[in-house]
């Protein structure tokens, strides 16, 4: 179980590094798509260095009812 936890942690750290290198964290758009792009980049982890470039372009956040 420890190895799996360590593997997941390293995977996410590599994804966060990739998001930082692409400038998503420092220059992110302040909308749902910007946050979504950061999230999917972090989740893709090392796959970012194998050519995967996940992006979220269209997302809608539910609005509260009046």
């Amino acid at each position: 179980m420890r190895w799996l936890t360590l593997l997941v942690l390293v995977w996410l750290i590599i994804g966060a590094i990739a998001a930082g290198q692409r400038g998503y964290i420092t220059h992110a758009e302040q909308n749902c798509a910007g946050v979504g792009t950061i999230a999917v980049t972090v989740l893709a982890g090392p796959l970012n260095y194998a050519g995967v470039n996940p992006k979220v372009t269209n997302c809608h956040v539910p609005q509260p009812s009046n």
Side-chain angles (χ1 to χ4, degrees), residues 37-59:
T37 298
I38 292 170
V40 295
T41 301
V42 170
L43 290 175
L47 297 176
N48 288 291
Y49 297 105
V52 174
N53 189 11
K55 290 189 179 183
V56 176
T57 57
N58 189 11
C59 84

Side-chain angles (χ1 to χ4, degrees), residues 2-3 5 11 13-16 22 31 34 39 42 47-49 53-55 58-59 62-64:
R2 285 184 177 179
W3 291 107
T5 303
W11 182 278
I13 289 171
I14 292 171
R22 290 182 177 168
N31 58 26
V42 170
L47 297 176
N48 288 291
Y49 297 105
N53 189 11
K55 290 189 179 183
N58 189 11
C59 84
Q63 297 297 320

Side-chain angles (χ1 to χ4, degrees), residues 1-14 45-46:
M1 190 65 172
R2 285 184 177 179
W3 291 107
L4 180 61
T5 303
L6 181 63
L7 179 65
V8 169
L9 184 62
V10 169
W11 182 278
L12 294 175
I13 289 171
I14 292 171

